[in-house]
Amino acid sequence: MGRPRTFDEQAVLASAGALFVRLGYASTSVDDLVTALGLHRGSLYQAFGSKRGLFVAALRRDVDAGLPELPPETDEAVASTALDLLLVAVLELAPHDSEVQGLVSAAVAVLADRYPALGPDGPATLLGRRLLARAGHASAPQPSRPGRT
Amino acid sequence: MARITTTDDRLTVELRGLSRLWALRKGVTAPLAHVRGATADPGARREPKGRRSPGLHVPGIAAVGTFHRDGARTLWEVYRGERAVVIQLSDEPYDRIVVEVHDPRAVVEQINRAVAQRA
C-alpha cells in the first residue's frame, strides 16, 4: 500500500519522456527522474513499479495519443519528443523487451498511416532521417517523385 | 549482498550472513505476478528509511531489516548501497525490497524479463 497518488500523471509522463530523450534510457538515473519530476522516490515506485515501468508508460502514452506533434514529412529537423522517445525505445529497450517491441510496432503503424506519401518504407525513412538530423546531419533534399511536378 | 533467483513463476530474495540476524528473516519470496518491476538505483541508499521493526540502522553505514515509511513496508539490506536494486511488489506483505547485489544490471534485467515472460 502507500499513499494515494497526488500528482498529475500526464505531466509526469511528458517530463519523463523528455528526460529519457535528453539523457538516454540507461543514463537516466532514478535520482535524475526524482529531481526532474518533483516526485518522491517512493511515489515513483508505487505508481510505475520501476524505471522501465515509467519509460513504458511514457511511450505508451505517446503511442495511444497517435504520436503527437510529429514533424512535417519534409522537415525531420523539427524536434518531436514523441519521435525521439521512439528512437530511444528502438535503440535501447526494444532489442530485449517484448512489450516495448509491441509498442514500437504500434508506433510504426501510426507513422505509416500518417505519412502515406513516403510509401511503405515511410516509417524507416522518417526515423532514419530524424536519427541523422539529431546527429547534426542534414538530409539531402528529397528527389521529386514520378508522377508529381 | 543478497542472492536473487527467479523461476517460471516466483522471485526469491535470499539474505545471507549476519543480515539474517539483523532482519530476523532469511529473505522474501513472492509470485512473479506480484512483482511490478526492478530498478538499479544507487541513490536509494540516501532515502530516509523510516521506522524499523525489526532491523539494524546505522545511518550512512547500514540499513538491514523491515522499515515502515509513508504507509509502505520495505525490506532493506543495504550497506554501502552503490549496487542497490529496488524491487516493487503488489499485494504482498512487503511493498518494496531494496537490497544490494553483485551485478545490479544483470539482476534487474533478469527480474524484468522473468516478469514480462510470465505476463
Side-chain angles (χ1 to χ4, degrees):
Chain A
M1 289 290 96
R3 287 190 295 203
R5 212 170 286 191
T6 55
F7 58 88
D8 178 348
E9 182 165 338
Q10 293 302 310
V12 160
L13 292 179
S15 306
L19 194 67
F20 283 128
V21 162
R22 191 154 64 82
L23 303 178
Y25 176 75
S27 310
T28 303
S29 69
V30 177
D31 285 337
D32 294 328
L33 289 164
V34 164
T35 305
L37 306 181
L39 281 184
H40 289 296
R41 208 179 215 88
S43 306
L44 190 153
Y45 285 122
Q46 172 71 28
F48 302 105
S50 63
K51 179 174 93 162
R52 176 193 169 274
L54 175 57
F55 183 93
V56 170
L59 181 64
R60 190 182 299 285
R61 167 181 176 270
D62 281 353
V63 173
D64 287 350
L67 301 180
E69 292 167 35
L70 285 174
E73 71 179 72
T74 50
D75 191 2
E76 64 284 343
V78 174
S80 157
T81 301
L83 206 52
D84 288 358
L85 190 65
L86 179 59
L87 285 171
V88 173
V90 166
L91 281 170
E92 294 195 60
L93 288 100
H96 50 82
D97 189 320
S98 54
E99 189 180 7
V100 175
Q101 278 166 21
L103 286 168
V104 167
S105 299
V108 166
V110 169
L111 290 177
D113 211 44
R114 188 71 64 84
Y115 299 96
L118 291 176
D121 286 336
T125 307
L126 198 80
L127 287 172
R129 282 206 210 121
R130 177 60 196 149
L131 202 54
L132 290 175
R134 266 179 68 103
H137 179 88
S139 300
Q142 293 174 61
S144 58
R145 292 187 198 83
R148 288 193 180 185
T149 49
Chain B
M1 296 274 168
R3 196 203 318 263
I4 296 184
T5 49
T6 51
T7 61
D8 285 349
D9 59 356
R10 286 196 90 75
L11 167 82
T12 301
V13 178
E14 192 188 338
L15 301 181
R16 290 186 283 182
L18 281 178
S19 291
R20 292 184 171 202
L21 194 63
W22 303 126
L24 291 181
R25 298 192 64 99
K26 291 178 179 174
V28 174
T29 176
L32 285 176
H34 292 181
V35 178
R36 298 191 52 211
T39 309
D41 184 2
R45 65 187 146 157
R46 289 185 299 272
E47 282 291 290
K49 311 292 179 297
R51 182 171 49 83
R52 71 187 149 96
S53 61
L56 165 77
H57 191 202
V58 185
I61 308 282
V64 183
T66 301
F67 291 74
H68 297 260
R69 180 164 182 261
D70 290 344
R73 188 164 182 257
T74 303
L75 177 68
W76 284 86
E77 193 223 11
V78 166
Y79 293 93
R80 294 164 58 86
E82 282 107 349
R83 297 180 182 184
V85 166
V86 178
I87 304 166
Q88 184 75 21
L89 305 176
S90 59
D91 303 316
E92 288 291 314
Y94 285 104
D95 298 289
R96 199 171 298 136
I97 298 169
V98 187
V99 292
E100 276 181 286
V101 296
H102 275 294
D103 188 345
R105 197 192 308 257
V107 166
V108 162
E109 204 177 304
Q110 177 193 347
I111 295 173
N112 288 337
R113 191 185 297 241
V115 171
Q117 274 168 359
R118 209 214 131 265

